[in-house]
Amino acid sequence: MTRPHSYDDSMATSLPPPSSLLQLRTVVSEHDVRAVVSDLDGVLRVFDPSLWDRLDHHVGLAPGTAFAAILGHPFLEEVTRGRGTHAQWRERAVAELVTQGAAPGTARETVRLWAATPGCVDQEVLAQLQRFREQGLAVFVLTNGTDRVPWELDQLGLGDVLGPRRRFLLNTADLGAAKPDREAFARAHERLSREPAGPLAPAQVAFLDDSAGHVRGAEEFGWRAVRHGRG
């Protein structure tokens, strides 16, 4: 397997694991947990926090404009539910930047730079997920993703984590429902229950996500959820 891009490897060896990973271990050890589900962005995959400032500088608009035009674009809700594509989302982001005052060429280059910026794998999270799998637990990744997610994860070298034919990837663009909607967790749980670990009761699933809303949605469905943080 190609070694994934890593997030701050030098720090990972000298700092204790995030409290959320310790909490997740406790949940797994103290309950009849048979499957662990991790979020992708902000958990297993992380991005340079300075990216958005650099994009705003590149496009020459006010701070926060690039983020609002790209991740804040309402069409993203459609894309993560399988009702649009990553390419269509990018075109709408370009149009939004132009609406905000960017020159068309600059807007397109800004979106291209964003889309071409690779994320990094958080090695602590990856190692913990691998340990859970070695312990015999089913381990999955559940992401509010797009049709481009499989390619992105291949680029990060996460093929072993996702398994043959990405068996352990739960991409909402394929599920047709996105977190925090109850239907997203219901469809993800149905997939989990098709694995050798299943059928599963909701309380037998531990979930890690950095979004308070997603954690709340998972808890309301019945999963044992932990909110992830890097501190």
Side-chain angles (χ1 to χ4, degrees):
M1 149 178 160
T2 302
R3 186 178 185 278
H5 302 281
S6 61
Y7 182 91
D8 204 1
D9 281 342
S10 62
M11 296 295 290
T13 58
S14 60
L15 295 177
S19 60
S20 52
L21 291 184
L22 297 176
Q23 185 180 351
L24 185 65
R25 291 179 200 171
T26 300
V27 168
V28 169
S29 66
E30 294 185 353
H31 301 279
D32 181 27
V33 170
R34 294 166 58 190
V36 175
V37 179
S38 172
D39 180 31
L40 178 61
D41 290 332
V43 181
L44 181 58
R45 177 172 67 173
V46 293
F47 293 91
D48 181 351
S50 70
L51 171 62
W52 296 107
D53 288 341
R54 288 188 281 113
L55 292 176
D56 287 332
H57 178 76
H58 184 270
V59 79
L61 296 175
T65 302
F67 183 93
I70 299 172
L71 289 190
H73 199 291
F75 188 68
L76 179 57
E77 294 290 315
E78 299 298 303
V79 178
T80 59
R81 288 164 173 78
R83 300 194 290 260
T85 67
H86 197 283
Q88 291 171 332
W89 174 28
R90 297 196 304 272
E91 289 301 316
R92 284 164 171 78
V94 170
E96 180 60 25
L97 287 174
V98 171
T99 298
Q100 295 301 319
T106 303
R108 187 166 299 279
E109 178 63 10
T110 300
V111 173
R112 187 199 68 77
L113 288 172
W114 161 75
T117 300
C120 298
V121 174
D122 186 312
Q123 294 296 318
E124 287 182 305
V125 174
L126 176 62
Q128 183 60 70
L129 295 179
Q130 290 172 327
R131 284 194 291 270
F132 284 142
R133 188 168 283 165
E134 289 165 1
Q135 293 167 15
L137 299 175
V139 175
F140 286 77
V141 173
L142 171 60
T143 178
N144 276 7
T146 75
D147 57 307
R148 209 179 79 151
V149 159
W151 175 83
E152 293 171 352
L153 298 187
D154 284 346
Q155 295 299 109
L156 285 176
L158 286 172
D160 286 357
V161 176
L162 303 180
R165 299 182 182 179
R166 304 182 188 90
R167 169 183 173 185
F168 304 114
L169 173 62
L170 302 169
N171 185 356
T172 63
D174 299 325
L175 296 176
K179 300 176 288 184
D181 299 349
R182 182 179 181 84
E183 188 62 25
F185 295 105
R187 295 181 187 184
H189 192 84
E190 193 275 332
R191 277 277 306 277
L192 294 176
S193 295
R194 285 192 240 143
E195 295 299 319
L200 298 171
Q204 292 178 306
V205 178
F207 178 59
L208 183 68
D209 199 296
D210 64 323
S211 163
H214 296 174
V215 165
R216 186 164 53 251
E219 289 175 335
E220 290 172 353
F221 180 75
W223 286 1
R224 300 184 185 275
V226 173
R227 186 176 182 187
H228 182 61
R230 292 202 55 79

